[in-house]
Amino acid sequence: MRNFPRLLLGALALALPLGHLAALGPPSATAATRVIGGSEVTAADHPWVVAVASREYFGSGRSGQFCGGVLVGRSAVATAAHCFSSEVLGTDVSRVDDLRVVVGRTDLRTDEGREIEVARVWVNPAWDSRTNAGDLAVLTLASPMPAGDVLPMAEKEDPAYAPGTSAGVFGWGDVRGDGSYATTLRKARVSVLEDARCAAAYPGGPAGTYQPESMVCAGLPQGGPDACQGDSGGPLVARGRLVGLVSWGVGCGERDLPGVYTRVGSVRDLIADSGGVS
Ligand code: ARG
């Protein structure tokens, strides 16, 4: 995919039907040992990272994982709105009746941890699929998790948004940008970048338009570590707080094309009002 023209990649970054990729089967064991500039971590050490899954639509090989998510309340998982689009699901979200949140499972090939039923799916009605602004969904769990597993959200004007702040992004997504999905949880270390850099990278294109009020971007100026397809909805964490949700980008880890995240400090009221946080 790296050889695809940029424009096409841009369109793919969002429109990629993950179900079709899942049909390629689990990636090789070696693919999971190194990620786009990251390394393996355990779910036990990061209990707030969850996988959003449907075995029926994405196959059981990787527990049905198709997006990431993060526990923001005992029964509330924040994730990305675009995860529930028909482009990703291949169907309407109302038809996915085995939607689960997988907790405490480092390796998706195992039955470690638990698969929790989703009682309610709230997809931000204000999500704009053209710019990607407001890329947020909240899942309500049928049974609550321990309070200690919840990750606090960043405030609106959180110091963690200062450019240069070190942050970690977590997920089971593509490790090379070529459809090699990870089987074990990994983390890449990135930096929060200046809004000007992201605005210059994404002035408006098929993948989205950078909007500093509702987005934050992260990466390294020279490229390298980044989130990728399948990581969407997963957490970007800085100073022990949730600062972003993996949303979009053009390609993965490419120089001057940073990863773009839903700015949690801007949507925390929306998350609270969604009715999913108890
Ligand atoms: N939209 C992708 C997904 O559905 C996430 C892309 C993130 N890309 C990036 N370069 N950070 O999984």
Side-chain angles (χ1 to χ4, degrees):
M1 250 177 36
R2 282 186 170 260
N3 303 329
F4 274 49
R6 282 271 157 77
L7 255 169
L8 189 52
L9 256 183
L12 277 174
L14 254 174
L16 213 56
L18 294 184
H20 292 197
L21 279 180
L24 294 175
S28 67
T30 47
T33 58
R34 260 345 244 175
V35 300
I36 302 182
S39 57
E40 291 186 8
V41 292
T42 66
D45 286 343
H46 310 90
W48 27 262
V49 190
V50 305
V52 178
S54 160
R55 290 176 181 267
E56 193 179 324
Y57 283 88
F58 296 91
S60 277
R62 297 173 60 263
S63 299
Q65 188 271 356
F66 64 95
C67 267
V70 53
L71 205 64
V72 293
R74 289 192 58 198
S75 302
V77 168
T79 180
H82 83 259
C83 291
F84 302 97
S85 65
S86 51
E87 283 80 3
V88 168
L89 294 177
T91 187
D92 190 84
V93 58
S94 63
R95 302 189 64 151
V96 183
D97 47 23
D98 73 334
L99 194 65
R100 297 283 185 277
V101 164
V102 184
V103 300
R105 184 170 301 167
T106 301
D107 187 336
L108 296 173
R109 294 166 299 190
T110 71
D111 61 1
E112 187 194 5
R114 283 201 295 148
E115 294 183 17
I116 303 179
E117 262 180 62
V118 174
R120 178 168 168 264
V121 181
W122 177 86
V123 178
N124 183 11
W127 170 53
D128 180 346
S129 62
R130 198 178 46 86
T131 60
N132 255 325
D135 193 6
L136 168 73
V138 179
L139 310 180
T140 307
L141 301 178
S143 59
M145 294 291 295
D149 290 355
V150 174
L151 185 66
M153 292 187 276
E155 307 286 338
K156 183 140 181 65
E157 306 290 339
D158 203 289
Y161 288 112
T165 302
S166 173
V169 56
F170 297 79
W172 290 267
D174 195 333
V175 296
R176 284 195 300 250
D178 62 359
S180 310
Y181 282 67
T183 47
T184 58
L185 178 62
R186 85 261 191 310
K187 170 189 183 181
R189 196 150 269 295
V190 290
S191 292
V192 174
L193 298 173
E194 308 82 31
D195 286 325
R197 189 186 280 276
C198 305
Y202 301 117
T209 303
Y210 188 74
Q211 299 194 345
E213 321 78 53
S214 60
M215 301 174 187
V216 58
C217 79
L220 296 184
Q222 70 274 24
D226 194 9
C228 200
Q229 310 326 316
D231 289 324
S232 279
L236 177 72
V237 182
R239 292 172 158 252
R241 293 188 286 280
L242 178 66
V243 295
L245 303 170
V246 176
S247 180
W248 61 283
V250 170
C252 301
E254 308 239 17
R255 184 191 183 95
D256 296 329
L257 292 172
V260 187
Y261 298 78
T262 305
R263 194 177 185 96
V264 168
S266 304
V267 295
R268 51 175 293 150
D269 295 345
L270 203 53
I271 293 176
D273 292 348
S274 72
V277 186
S278 55

